[in-house]
Amino acid sequence: MESNNNKKKAEKTTKKLKKKTVRLLKDFEDTKISLQPTQHLFVGNAGLLNGVARESLLHLFSKYGSVKDLTMVPQKSFAFISYQSVESSVLAVAALTGYNIISEDNIPSAPLYFSYLYQKINLPYIQTQLYPNESRQQINIIGLDIKVNYIDEVYEKELYDFFYCKEDDGSLMKNRTVKHFGYEFIYGSNNIDRSKPLAQKIPSVCDSLLKKMLLDNIIDFMPDQLTVNQYRPGQGIPSHIDTHSAFEDGIVSLSLNSQVTMEFKKSSNELVPVILYPRSLLVMKGESRYQWTHGITPRKFDIVYTTSQLNSTAEQDFFTEEHLTLRERRIRISLTFRKIRFSPCICNFTEKCDSQIVNQANVLLPITLIEAMHLEDKHVVKVYEQIAMHFSDTRHSPWPRVKHFLNNLKNGSLVADVGCGNGKYLGINPDLVSVGSDRSINLISICKERNFEVCISDCLTLPYRSNVFDAVICIAVIHHLSTQTRRLQAVEELIRIVNTNGLILIYVWAIEQDNEKNLNLYENCKTESPNMCNSSNDSTDKICCGKFSFDTITTESRRKIEISEGRNTFQQQDLLIPWHLKEEKCKTEEIFHRFYHVFVKGELEELCSHNPYVKIEDVYFDCGNWCIVMRKKN
């Protein structure tokens, strides 16, 4: 009885696996499963997606006979194997069905399962541009060069041991561990502070490497900045271009201990994968340095083409065949040497050049009402009109504490969402009567399509009677106003429209973002006697907030509003944040710059406490924002 049950169970499993095989093979034309043994096998749970390298698979299956062909497919959990004889394939199926292959990172795969195929799978040279070739790496990027085996193994070990970081050493980032020498690279602004050189210069252990690069004419100068990145398997670095204005032309990077694939991109349809071998030197000059982004995708393995020998008999020679396989990543350390630039960049690649883009934009802090309105119209209103659909697609998940605020209001409360965007908070609590407003016509159109009650309105002049709403929320809006006077005016409007005992919730971007170290830095950033403008006719502003105290802005002294590429560290409070709008159909990208005034700790509280008719009930930090809850008093 038990034997019959086991037999039925096995037959059921076999039938299920056959169906799965048919489904997985639907993309392979002319591929049919044979009910009789053949020399051609489909092998389930033995693919690149399972972390199985070609070499490991070949070693395992060669035990049962001469392997004629082995094909692995990217992003698939299966492989195709052809033996010289049917007898060998029968032996392999009998021995390996249910076998668990140990992947390259020592994780057992799911049990192997097989199907016989009528014929050998012939695949084209799959997506050549996506995977580099170990046997014949070709780099067709102007100014890019790879110097393989640039140093010997003894020197590699010396450098690796010197720069190796333990878990609690160095600056631990999301994707890697970083150390800086000479000057610190500030990732929030993608720049360096030339006025603050580090006490730690480039270590002397690098001297022989630097001298060799000079003698070989690889560099034309002695670098004064070194960034050491340490990557563990599964880590990488976002695609980027080293800031033009920060460094001179000519950036070199030495790889230690592990092979990795770096991807270079010039546009959405121009991608060149490059293998960086241990002890190889990456040299970027000219176009490769200024116009191509480079990055490392976070993963534990890289897929590469390799030339492999499957059969060494006189009749069959497979030396020339190129196949896909995996290369495991180990701990890798890169040493990137640069020379600090002390003058604006004047390269020929102006569309990527921050020096020339900023100069062309010439965006300065406004000192008059007209200038402020012009700045916000160009870098806030018109930008949101252009990016409305793309922006809406990225704004669908409500922040939990805003949701909690709305869900704790009394049923039937009348709520105003000032700067409602695509209306993601308007439908949170159906027991409320919610009204949204926004400057963007296109965002309001999206709200109307969702059947929300909305209107087009500026947050500075809301079209509502005073003392009407039971609650008001203003999420990520006030930081788009370019002067202190206008930010104060916006707060006054929110207070005006709410009734007595009504609540007001405001969110603004924080300069500190999510960095606890930065939060502690501004712990005492409060002013005992704030000096804030209270007249809408003032043409000058002054912020007094602890360490962030700026002089009155004048025509002669006002600062340029810099472009910031990062969202973790800001070097000034008034800045332009790029929005990358990609057109998939045309495979093009357009960059828009939104104005932001990021708030320091205590600044929002002081802005709101200027009004004597509100009581501040809560101030907190949430998702990179400073937040405040106020109640209107009698």
Side-chain angles (χ1 to χ4, degrees), residues 185-337:
F185 187 80
I186 304 166
Y187 289 98
S189 60
N190 286 342
N191 217 314
I192 44 89
D193 189 342
R194 297 163 182 79
S195 66
K196 296 180 180 179
L198 299 175
Q200 283 187 304
K201 305 306 177 185
I202 297 178
S204 59
V205 70
C206 300
D207 287 352
S208 59
L209 172 62
L210 296 175
K211 290 176 182 177
K212 179 175 171 58
M213 290 193 293
L214 282 170
L215 288 173
D216 293 341
N217 295 317
I218 290 175
I219 55 176
D220 304 319
F221 45 76
M222 185 60 73
D224 54 10
Q225 196 273 338
L226 167 63
T227 296
V228 180
N229 287 303
Q230 180 170 308
Y231 304 88
R232 298 188 178 275
Q235 294 183 326
I237 186 171
S239 189
H240 67 284
I241 295 176
D242 287 58
T243 308
H244 289 207
S245 64
F247 309 109
E248 297 285 355
D249 191 12
I251 294 174
V252 295
S253 184
L254 181 71
S255 294
L256 305 174
N257 196 61
S258 178
Q259 174 177 323
V260 74
T261 296
M262 177 172 279
E263 295 174 340
F264 285 80
K265 296 179 183 178
K266 188 177 181 181
S267 63
S268 58
N269 59 347
E270 290 183 274
L271 183 148
V272 178
V274 175
I275 300 174
L276 303 181
Y277 296 99
R279 304 187 303 284
S280 67
L281 189 71
L282 170 68
V283 183
M284 295 184 291
K285 293 182 178 180
E287 182 178 316
S288 67
R289 179 264 186 271
Y290 286 123
Q291 198 167 28
W292 288 72
T293 65
H294 59 281
I296 298 173
T297 302
R299 55 189 175 222
K300 292 185 177 181
F301 309 96
D302 289 310
I303 298 177
V304 300
Y305 277 102
T306 186
T307 300
S308 104
Q309 178 187 10
L310 290 180
N311 192 313
S312 59
T313 64
E315 305 86 62
Q316 297 285 346
D317 184 5
F318 297 95
F319 275 100
T320 59
E321 290 198 7
E322 292 174 335
H323 298 273
L324 291 173
T325 188
L326 291 180
R327 289 291 177 254
E328 180 186 10
R329 292 185 186 177
R330 303 186 302 275
I331 294 176
R332 174 178 173 268
I333 293 177
S334 68
L335 310 181
T336 302
F337 298 92

Side-chain angles (χ1 to χ4, degrees), residues 91 93 97 232 267 283 308 322 374 399 550 566 619 626 630:
L91 286 174
V93 171
T97 296
R232 298 188 178 275
S267 63
V283 183
S308 104
E322 292 174 335
H374 175 75
W399 284 329
F550 302 116
V619 178
W626 285 118
M630 300 182 291

Side-chain angles (χ1 to χ4, degrees), residues 434-594:
S434 300
V435 179
S437 62
D438 202 282
R439 277 286 301 273
S440 170
I441 297 174
N442 290 333
L443 286 174
I444 287 296
S445 297
I446 293 172
C447 291
K448 287 184 176 179
E449 290 175 1
R450 298 174 177 178
N451 296 318
F452 293 135
E453 195 70 34
V454 289
C455 65
I456 299 169
S457 174
D458 192 319
C459 67
L460 297 172
T461 54
L462 296 170
Y464 309 126
R465 291 182 290 110
S466 300
N467 306 313
V468 171
F469 292 93
D470 299 301
V472 177
I473 64 171
C474 186
I475 311 300
V477 176
I478 293 177
H479 54 221
H480 284 311
L481 299 172
S482 57
T483 70
Q484 186 73 356
T485 300
R486 292 168 70 76
R487 293 188 286 272
L488 180 61
Q489 184 180 340
V491 173
E492 297 285 350
E493 270 293 271
L494 300 179
I495 297 170
R496 178 186 68 80
I497 65 172
V498 77
N499 60 30
T500 302
N501 290 321
L503 293 173
I504 302 168
L505 174 64
I506 301 174
Y507 269 56
V508 292
W509 268 21
I511 195 171
E512 298 85 354
Q513 289 300 292
D514 296 322
N515 191 325
E516 288 295 330
K517 181 179 178 181
N518 285 336
L519 287 177
N520 294 332
L521 178 64
Y522 305 111
E523 185 62 35
N524 298 317
C525 190
K526 291 186 178 182
T527 307
E528 294 181 1
S529 55
N531 177 12
M532 304 179 66
C533 302
N534 57 14
S535 170
S536 60
N537 295 322
D538 282 342
S539 61
T540 60
D541 293 312
K542 184 173 183 179
I543 304 172
C544 293
C545 190
K547 297 180 181 179
F548 285 78
S549 179
F550 302 116
D551 292 333
T552 300
I553 301 170
T554 65
T555 304
E556 293 76 19
S557 66
R558 58 175 166 168
R559 293 173 294 111
K560 184 184 297 181
I561 302 175
E562 300 289 348
I563 296 175
S564 175
E565 290 290 346
R567 276 258 353 229
N568 295 321
T569 306
F570 300 129
Q571 298 311 303
Q572 64 180 59
Q573 286 188 271
D574 299 289
L575 39 81
L576 297 174
I577 302 292
W579 181 279
H580 298 263
L581 181 63
K582 294 183 179 180
E583 294 289 345
E584 295 298 332
K585 292 182 180 179
C586 304
K587 295 185 177 181
T588 59
E589 179 180 90
E590 189 171 359
I591 300 176
F592 298 90
H593 292 97
R594 295 177 294 166

